[in-house]
Amino acid sequence: MRDERLPPGSVQYGSGMSELALARYGEVERDRILERLFDWLRIPSISAAPEHAADVRSSAEFCLSLLRAAGLENAAVLETGGGPAVYADWLHAGPERPTVLVYGPHDVQPVDPLEDWTSPPFEPVIVDGECRARGAIDDKGQSLYQIEAARGLLLQHGELPVNLKLLIEGEEEVGSPNFERLLRSEADRLACDVVVVSDTGMIAPEVPSTTVGMRGLVAFDVSLRTASIDLHSGMWGGAVPNAALETARLAAALHDQQGRVTLEGFYDRVRGLSSTEKASLDAQPFDEVEFRRTAGGVPYLTGESGYTALERIGVRPTAEVVGLHSGYGGPGIKTIVPSTGSFKVAFRLVPDQRPDEVEAAFSTWLARHVPAGIEVTVTPEGGVAPALTPIDHPCMGALVRTIESVWGRSPLFTREGGSGPEEALGRVLDAPVLFLGVGLPGDRIHAPNERMVMDQFWKGLLAAGELLIELGGDKDGR
Ligand SMILES: [Zn+2]
C-alpha cells in the first residue's frame, strides 16, 4: 500500500470561494476513496455474532489506519469489553474555535437470509450508481466520508477549521451496551462543543432533510407458565388455562381500540410538536402506496388514531410485539394445551419519556393483566432514552446552510423512528447533537441488498467538509 500520509497542506486542489471546499478532492481522490470503502466493506464486522468478534476488531484496526492516513492524531483503539471503538483527533485550531466530535459506527448487522442477496454481502459491487454491501450506508460509508473530509481539508490547508475528534463505535448494531460507560470513562478525551452524528438519512436527494430527534427504546421478554407440563387437549382442554391463549391475550392487550398503548401514564411526558416542526412534518411528501410498497407490500396502515403515518413512526411512542411463541409449531398437529408462552415487546419512546418510568409502568400493567396464579417472568432487554436537538439551537444554522449548499434546498426537519446512542452522546458529553446523514428510504438497511447511492456518498463528503467550515465560523477565510 502506498504511503497516504502526505505532508499536510502539500496538495492544493484549488477551489474558488463559490465552490464547495472538497469538490476537487472528491474528484481527484475518487478511485482511492472507493478502494478504501470496498476494503472496509469486505470485513464482516457483524457485532451480533460472537464468531465475528475478530472481524469487528479487524474493522476497528482498518478504521484506525484510515484515521492515521487522514493525518489525524492520537489515533487509538478504545476497548469497551465488547466491540472496540476507534478514536482520533486534530486539536490545533485554537481554543477560540469549537471542538466538534464526529460519531459513526463501524459494526454491521447480520446478513441472513443470505439467499435473498443478489450479490454476496461482503463483496461490494457498484450497480446502477449504488454500492451494494452490508454496511454500505449503515454505517461504514457514512463514517468514511467524514474521515475523508478531514483528510481532504488537512491535505488542502494543512489545518482544520475546528478542533476535530472522531469516535467510531464498534457495537452500535447490538444496542451499544458499553457505549455510555465508554463515554463516561473517556469524558475528558471526548469533551466537545458539538456532536455530529453521521448515521441517519434524508427523505430524498431532492427533498433533503435532517433528523432532529431519535426515539428511545425499552424492551422486555415476558414468559408465562400456566402448568408444570403440557397437557393432553382432549383430556384437559376446555378446563385448564392455555398458555398460548393467555400469551396472545396479553400481547393483544397492549393496545386499545384506538391503537393507544394501555400502560398507565404512558403518554404523560410526551412533548407536543413545536409549530416549526409540525409545519416541517406536514411539508414532507408522503405517498401511501409507495410507503406500503417500500414496507414489503403491507396491505394497509395501522396505528394510533388521530395521527398521520409520519407522526406515528417519528413523534409518537409505540409498543411493538417483536416475537411471540407458544406450543407446538412443527409439522402436522400435536393435541396439547401448552403450558408455557412468551413474547417480546419493544417500546419506542419520544421526548420526554423515560425508560425507567416505562419499565415501572409495564410491571404495574403486567400485574393487572396477568390472571392470578399464572407464573410470569419479565427480563428487561435494555433501554435508551429519546433524544431531541432544538431546531433553534445556533449550531443548527450551520447544518442548515451546509445542506442548502450541497443539496440546493433548505432541509426539512424530521425525527428518526429508530433509536441509537445519540441520546447518551448529547447527555454525557453535554453538547448539542447534529445529524448529517445521507441515507435514503430505499437503502434496505438491516435487510438483504443494503445499498448506498454513490451520489449521496460524494455529497456526504462535500457536506462533511462544509459543516466543519460552517461550524468553524469563517466560511470565506481559508
Ligand atoms: Zn443499523
Side-chain angles (χ1 to χ4, degrees), residues 216-284:
L217 176 71
V218 60
F220 306 93
D221 181 289
V222 180
S223 299
L224 301 185
R225 178 174 279 282
T226 53
S228 59
I229 46 165
D230 289 350
L231 298 164
H232 189 290
S233 68
M235 293 167 67
W236 305 94
V240 296
N242 179 313
L245 211 53
E246 294 300 341
T247 305
R249 277 200 187 109
L250 197 57
L254 279 165
H255 297 92
D256 66 13
Q257 293 297 318
Q258 279 69 50
R260 285 171 65 86
V261 176
T262 53
L263 268 58
E264 190 147 347
F266 188 68
Y267 296 95
D268 287 0
R269 282 191 188 272
V270 174
R271 204 193 296 181
L273 282 182
S274 71
S275 53
T276 316
E277 241 195 299
K278 175 75 180 146
S280 194
L281 204 61
D282 290 344
Q284 287 182 38

